[in-house]
């Protein structure tokens, strides 16, 4: 399906149609004009009509002059805006025809966004019952029942963990990006630089970071804005030395308001090769609640193939070291679809995970991010088929259920294998609050450090804006003062008059 022509689609629905086509083949080209320069063989023409209560879309799918399929979809308006229903009938028809043609099922229906839980939350906030939400997601978006159930479970869990989820936008969370790693992994597109590399010195970077923390902390204190969670990510935040970590956390306690009352403090210790006894002592000294130790896979050949530079044994040893020293809330990331891995390897990873019993597990489906080595050399890395990926995801879900892990956040990515999702699971009450904050976009996240993206959520209107710090350490070192100033300016605008309105936020 290299090129397909869609005829009779209004301009404002074209981008959505394109996204639906690309669910089946992300390299497909979609043409909308009906001119004679069309270079492909496939076309679908749409015709939409309406009655008082419903919208109808008729579509004919052709290969040259041969009719491959016909479909008519009728959707009841049920109080929805006309244009919304019209758009959904077109997407619905398009998806159904392409599912039949390609024999590929799309479990997320016509939903192509990153955060399907947000849609569920918005319907919940409109006062719709679970049954109504289920019906709407199924009828308007063609979501399969198992995905709707998954969303429902996640939303319930989020509300249990953060009962004030709809109000938490009067506070902020803080993300601190440490852009260094011992070495680079092949699939990485995070802002990560080899710690001994040439891109800026660690000491200069930390000077900038301390400055940013101080200025931001002062502003939060002066303006009486509370901090919900603090999260150190990267790169690998434990790739700096124990004494650098110690000074950084000391600074955090000195400058941020009431760190003792922050709901959660997380430090990613993703790479097991960075975890040492002295760093664990520092994490404990500053009462870090939660760390992550990331195996990705428990097969040594895979770790080698993805350039991970640590062994399975090292992950297990470091996990035990952290656990026995009192860091018992540990997240592990697993990845489905790593090169050379099928059901057997993934089942093995789950079996080892079972022995360790981390408090939370994030199951990622590998995505081919444009800038990673793995995408550049796609032929070199053999990955599982779409069906295998689907089976592994099902296995993961069943396994989690059996082992007492409950899903609590979910997001989707472009180019994700099998068009599936990444799901965070946890033993109940061990969920990461920060992950819920960032995924549901319910409050401002202030990003400090390299590559840290700030997300501004206006507490009065819910409007979202983004602001990113430089990715490269040297660029950050050269400009952190300017970036800090801009962020303080943005905070002033967002929270300038919130103090008067804190107790009467509009419902969004
Ligand atoms: S440990 Fe994570 S951040 Fe560092 S290079 Fe590997 S994937 Fe990238």
């Amino acid at each position: 399906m290299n090129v397909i022509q869609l005829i009779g689609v209004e301009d404002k629905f074209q981008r959505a149609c394109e996204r639906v086509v690309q669910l089946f083949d992300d390299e497909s080209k979609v043409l909308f004009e009906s001119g004679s320069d069309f270079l492909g063989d496939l076309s679908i023409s749409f015709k939409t009509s309406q009655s008082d209560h419903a919208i109808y879309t008729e579509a004919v799918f052709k290969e040259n002059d041969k009719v491959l399929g016909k479909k008519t979809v009728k959707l009841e308006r049920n109080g929805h805006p006309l244009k919304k229903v019209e758009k959904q009938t077109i997407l619905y028809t398009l998806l159904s025809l392409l599912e039949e043609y390609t024999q590929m099922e799309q479990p997320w229906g016509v939903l192509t966004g990153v955060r399907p839980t947000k849609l569920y939350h918005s319907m919940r906030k409109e006062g719709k019952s679970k049954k109504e939400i289920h019906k709407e997601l199924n009828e308007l978006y063609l979501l399969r029942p198992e995905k709707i159930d998954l969303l429902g479970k996640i939303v319930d869990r989020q509300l249990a963990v953060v009962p004030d989820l709809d109000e938490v936008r009067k506070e902020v969370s803080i993300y601190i990006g440490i852009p260094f790693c011992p070495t680079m992994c092949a699939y990485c597109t995070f802002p990560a630089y080899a710690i001994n590399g040439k891109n800026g010195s660690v000491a200069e970077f930390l000077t900038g970071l301390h400055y940013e923390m101080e200025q931001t902390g002062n502003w939060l204190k002066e303006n009486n804005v509370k901090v919900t969670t603090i999260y150190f990510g990267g790169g690998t935040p434990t790739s700096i030395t124990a004494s650098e970590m110690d000074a950084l956390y000391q600074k955090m306690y000195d400058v941020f308001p009431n760190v003792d009352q922050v709901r959660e403090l997380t430090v990613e210790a993703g790479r097991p090769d960075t975890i040492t006894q002295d760093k664990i002592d520092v994490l404990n000294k500053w009462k870090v609640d939660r760390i992550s130790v990331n195996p990705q896979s428990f097969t040594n050949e895979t770790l080698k193939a993805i350039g991970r530079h640590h062994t399975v044994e090292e992950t297990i040893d470091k996990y035990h070291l952290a656990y026995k020293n009192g860091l018992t809330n540990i997240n592990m990331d697993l990845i489905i679809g790593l090169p050379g891995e099928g059901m057997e390897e993934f089942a093995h990873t789950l079996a080892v995970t079972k022995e360790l019993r981390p408090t939370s597990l994030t199951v990622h489906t590998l995505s081919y991010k444009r800038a990673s080595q793995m995408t550049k050399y796609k032929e070199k890395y053999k990955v599982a088929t779409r069906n295998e990926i689907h089976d592994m995801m099902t296995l993961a879900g069943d396994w989690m259920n059996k082992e007492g892990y409950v899903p609590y956040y979910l997001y989707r990515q472009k180019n994700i294998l099998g068009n599936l999702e990444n799901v965070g699971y946890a033993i109940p009450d061990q969920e990461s609050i920060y992950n819920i904050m960032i995924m549901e976009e319910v409050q401002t996240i202030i990003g400090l450090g390299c590559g840290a993206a700030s997300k501004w959520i206006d507490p009065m209107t819910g409007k979202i804006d983004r602001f990113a710090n430089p990715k490269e350490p040297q660029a950050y070192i050269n400009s952190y003062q300017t970036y800090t100033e801009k962020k303080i300016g943005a905070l002033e605008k967002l929270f300038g008059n919130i103090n008067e309105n804190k107790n009467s936020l509009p419902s969004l």
Side-chain angles (χ1 to χ4, degrees), residues 180-185 187-190 192 234-236 270-271 296 308:
F180 302 107
C181 282
T183 49
M184 292 294 290
C185 305
Y187 57 92
C188 184
T189 51
F190 297 107
T236 306
R271 285 272 289 260
Q296 319 293 29
R308 192 73 186 163

Side-chain angles (χ1 to χ4, degrees), residues 125-150:
K125 287 197 264 180
E126 282 167 23
K128 291 182 178 147
S129 69
K130 279 196 164 181
K131 214 169 143 200
E132 288 167 327
I133 296 175
H134 198 291
K135 190 167 178 282
E136 193 170 323
L137 287 174
N138 186 245
E139 286 180 3
L140 278 191
Y141 297 91
L142 265 180
L143 245 72
R144 303 305 190 254
E146 73 272 14
K147 295 298 177 203
I148 306 176
D149 290 343
L150 177 62

Side-chain angles (χ1 to χ4, degrees), residues 94-321:
L94 175 62
L95 189 95
S96 313
L97 283 170
L98 293 180
E99 280 193 329
E100 276 169 27
Y101 175 68
T102 59
Q103 293 294 301
M104 276 161 84
E105 209 200 324
Q106 298 295 347
W108 288 99
V110 300
L111 259 197
T112 50
V114 171
R115 296 177 168 80
T117 37
K118 271 194 84 178
L119 181 61
Y120 199 110
H121 275 297
S122 71
M123 293 180 181
R124 169 186 69 78
K125 287 197 264 180
E126 282 167 23
K128 291 182 178 147
S129 69
K130 279 196 164 181
K131 214 169 143 200
E132 288 167 327
I133 296 175
H134 198 291
K135 190 167 178 282
E136 193 170 323
L137 287 174
N138 186 245
E139 286 180 3
L140 278 191
Y141 297 91
L142 265 180
L143 245 72
R144 303 305 190 254
E146 73 272 14
K147 295 298 177 203
I148 306 176
D149 290 343
L150 177 62
L151 293 182
K153 267 193 204 161
I154 290 174
V155 164
D156 285 350
R157 209 48 228 145
Q158 292 181 338
L159 290 165
V161 178
V162 190
D164 57 344
L165 194 71
D166 298 341
E167 299 284 309
V168 83
R169 62 187 191 277
K170 58 192 172 202
E171 301 181 4
V172 296
S173 280
I174 298 174
Y175 174 86
I176 299 174
I178 311 288
F180 302 107
C181 282
T183 49
M184 292 294 290
C185 305
Y187 57 92
C188 184
T189 51
F190 297 107
Y193 296 83
I195 194 140
N196 295 322
K198 296 199 174 67
N199 199 318
S201 85
V202 176
E204 281 177 293
F205 162 74
L206 288 172
T207 304
L209 181 55
H210 281 226
Y211 173 86
E212 266 204 295
M213 288 165 75
E214 209 166 282
Q215 300 298 315
T216 313
N218 287 343
W219 187 90
L220 292 170
K221 280 181 183 164
E222 278 162 22
N223 290 276
N224 205 15
V225 176
K226 266 174 111 179
V227 178
T228 314
T229 67
I230 302 174
Y231 191 101
F232 286 83
T236 306
T238 43
S239 59
I240 56 176
T241 67
S243 63
E244 285 163 340
M245 283 165 59
D246 191 41
L248 193 61
Y249 305 154
Q250 167 87 61
K251 180 59 93 185
M252 163 178 74
Y253 271 82
D254 288 348
V255 301
F256 290 159
N258 306 321
V259 176
D260 277 332
Q261 288 164 29
V262 162
R263 295 189 213 187
E264 178 184 274
L265 170 57
T266 303
V267 175
E268 282 185 0
R271 285 272 289 260
D273 44 344
T274 63
I275 303 173
T276 55
Q277 181 67 53
D278 53 349
K279 292 182 192 176
I280 290 175
D281 294 343
V282 173
L283 295 170
N284 273 323
K285 174 180 170 190
W286 297 104
K287 302 195 197 92
V288 169
D289 297 309
R290 197 176 164 268
I291 63 167
S292 52
V293 178
N294 291 333
Q296 319 293 29
S297 157
F298 280 117
T299 297
N300 273 328
E301 289 72 38
T302 310
L303 296 181
K304 221 188 229 167
I306 61 175
R308 192 73 186 163
H309 300 278
H310 66 79
T311 61
V312 166
E313 294 67 30
E314 199 168 8
T315 311
I316 297 173
D317 288 351
K318 295 302 172 66
Y319 176 87
H320 286 309
L321 182 69

